[in-house]
């Protein structure tokens, strides 16, 4: 829990992009919910990337598809442009 709190001030007005998905075992929270809770920033714009991609294929320039998901529409749109 203590790893994000010292840098929370650096995350303000930033879009956080997560490359992980799943649910926490005991609370069933998503990674986005966990980060928001740890940073005490319930409105933090978080985007999650998911898809069937492998790092070695991306590095090799092989075409792939990723899903960009977020409840925060402006953050989702901006992440699509990266």
């Amino acid at each position: 829990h203590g790893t994000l709190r010292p840098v929370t001030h650096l995350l303000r007005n930033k879009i956080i992009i997560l490359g992980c998905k799943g649910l926490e075992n005991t609370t069933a929270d998503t990674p986005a919910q966990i980060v928001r809770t740890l940073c005490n920033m319930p409105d933090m714009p978080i985007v999650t990337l998911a898809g069937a991609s492998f790092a070695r294929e991306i590095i090799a320039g092989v075409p792939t598809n990723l899903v960009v998901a977020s409840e925060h529409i402006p953050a989702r749109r901006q992440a699509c442009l990266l």
Side-chain angles (χ1 to χ4, degrees):
H1 290 124
T3 57
L4 286 175
R5 286 199 179 116
V7 297
T8 298
H9 67 284
L10 299 173
L11 303 177
R12 297 204 187 284
N13 302 315
K14 303 286 190 288
I15 297 171
I16 307 304
I17 300 177
L18 299 177
C20 59
K21 57 185 179 178
L23 300 175
E24 199 277 329
N25 287 338
T26 57
T27 64
D29 284 348
T30 66
Q33 291 170 314
I34 294 167
V35 170
R36 285 184 182 116
T37 299
L38 291 176
C39 292
N40 194 28
M41 296 173 66
D43 296 325
M44 174 186 279
I46 295 180
V47 174
T48 300
L49 295 179
S53 63
F54 298 97
R56 66 178 165 263
E57 293 173 349
I58 292 171
I59 292 169
V62 176
T64 188
N65 288 311
L66 293 174
V67 174
V68 176
S70 179
E71 298 169 344
H72 193 279
I73 294 171
R76 184 174 66 218
R77 287 183 178 150
Q78 189 170 353
C80 287
L81 299 174
L82 298 176

